[in-house]
Amino acid sequence: MTTQRQRAAIVTGAGSAQGIGFAAARLLGADGTRVVITSTTDRIFERVAELRAAGVRAEGVVADLTDQAGVDAVVACATDSFGGVDILVNNAGMTSVSDSYASGTAGALSRNHWQASIDRNLTTTFLMTRAVTGRMQAAGYGRIVNVSSVSGPVAAYGGDVAYHAAKAGIVGLTRAMAIDTAAAGVTVNAVAPGWIDTASASEHERVMGAATPVGRSGTADEVAYAIAFLAGEGASYITGQLITVDGANTIMEERGR
């Protein structure tokens, strides 16, 4: 990335100190980008304090991004604090960790649980993207980076159809938006993390990470570097693309050796 012009970014889903969102905000901020970070809980202010202690100009907003009012509050914070939004990193979302976002096969998943997972993992990306795209097009510059997953777009595991459908939907949204915004200098790309060792990773996920060709799970920072590249001014001719960050796991043909 370049620091020739100071940019402003929104990074969603940045509440966890060990998560991809915070890693991306930290890396962007280290390069001089001003950042607004958001999560659904007050812990976002702990992350803001950490960023500020590192010399990053940062603001935080507690918001439910499935609600338009929450989206509006985040964009208003960026506009009021930094004059606009140059970069959007859509990282908000979650796998099935509570009854509200339960996993299940198509035959077992309720309509409410399906909708909750789609809203949390796909609609949030749509609403945030819709909120900033017009401003970016008017300015003639923008970088949107969506955090998808290998689960859905390129691979799958059993028993979580809504999460897979949402993450695949992010890639379709990314490609369609890239076509719509390319002429205005706005790029839209996605990253697809594989087995990443964050605070929410289960022991099973860590075992799966150890079985990749690299021999370990990835780190949040390794995903953040891909995000920062796509968010940089130098990535101006890359749009509508999906970068997989999975230690070659999804291309490995021989398994169980």
Side-chain angles (χ1 to χ4, degrees):
M1 292 179 63
T2 176
T3 56
Q4 290 180 347
R5 174 183 169 186
Q6 192 175 43
R7 300 292 187 184
I10 293 173
V11 182
T12 70
S16 172
Q18 293 81 39
I20 292 170
F22 185 59
R26 188 171 56 231
L27 189 58
L28 290 170
D31 199 43
T33 300
R34 302 163 295 173
V35 296
V36 173
I37 57 175
T38 180
S39 74
T40 58
T41 68
D42 287 343
R43 66 178 177 171
I44 199 66
F45 300 118
E46 298 174 12
R47 305 289 83 76
V48 169
E50 292 174 37
L51 290 172
R52 289 176 176 173
V56 178
R57 290 188 61 187
E59 301 290 340
V61 183
V62 177
D64 177 0
L65 301 182
T66 66
D67 185 339
Q68 186 64 48
V71 171
D72 292 343
V74 174
V75 175
C77 179
T79 301
D80 295 344
S81 300
F82 304 131
V85 182
D86 303 295
I87 299 163
L88 170 63
V89 178
N90 282 308
N91 178 64
M94 64 191 303
T95 53
S96 309
V97 295
S98 72
D99 288 341
S100 298
Y101 306 104
S103 60
T105 63
L109 192 67
S110 74
R111 172 66 181 268
N112 287 342
H113 284 149
W114 163 270
Q115 194 63 57
S117 187
I118 295 296
D119 285 348
R120 180 63 59 185
N121 291 293
L122 178 57
T123 305
T124 53
T125 296
F126 165 71
L127 292 177
M128 285 299 305
T129 300
R130 183 177 68 173
V132 304
T133 301
R135 304 161 192 256
M136 289 180 173
Q137 288 175 301
Y141 181 91
R143 299 285 183 269
I144 298 173
V145 185
N146 299 322
V147 179
S148 179
S149 173
V150 296
S151 302
V154 296
Y157 54 84
D160 203 352
V161 295
Y163 179 78
H164 287 73
K167 289 300 187 179
I170 285 176
V171 178
L173 175 65
T174 296
R175 289 172 176 156
M177 289 295 303
I179 297 297
D180 290 340
T181 62
V186 178
T187 67
V188 189
N189 291 289
V191 297
W195 301 113
I196 306 300
D197 193 1
T198 65
S200 63
S202 67
E203 185 56 33
H204 170 73
E205 289 171 331
R206 294 187 176 99
V207 169
M208 293 297 98
T212 67
V214 174
R216 62 170 175 84
S217 297
T219 68
D221 284 336
E222 287 172 321
V223 182
Y225 276 105
I227 293 171
F229 165 68
L230 293 171
E233 296 187 16
S236 55
Y237 205 59
I238 301 172
T239 192
Q241 302 305 307
L242 176 68
I243 294 182
T244 301
V245 187
D246 76 339
N249 194 51
T250 53
I251 65 167
M252 181 168 60
E253 184 170 348
E254 293 184 297
R255 299 178 187 272
R257 296 181 63 183

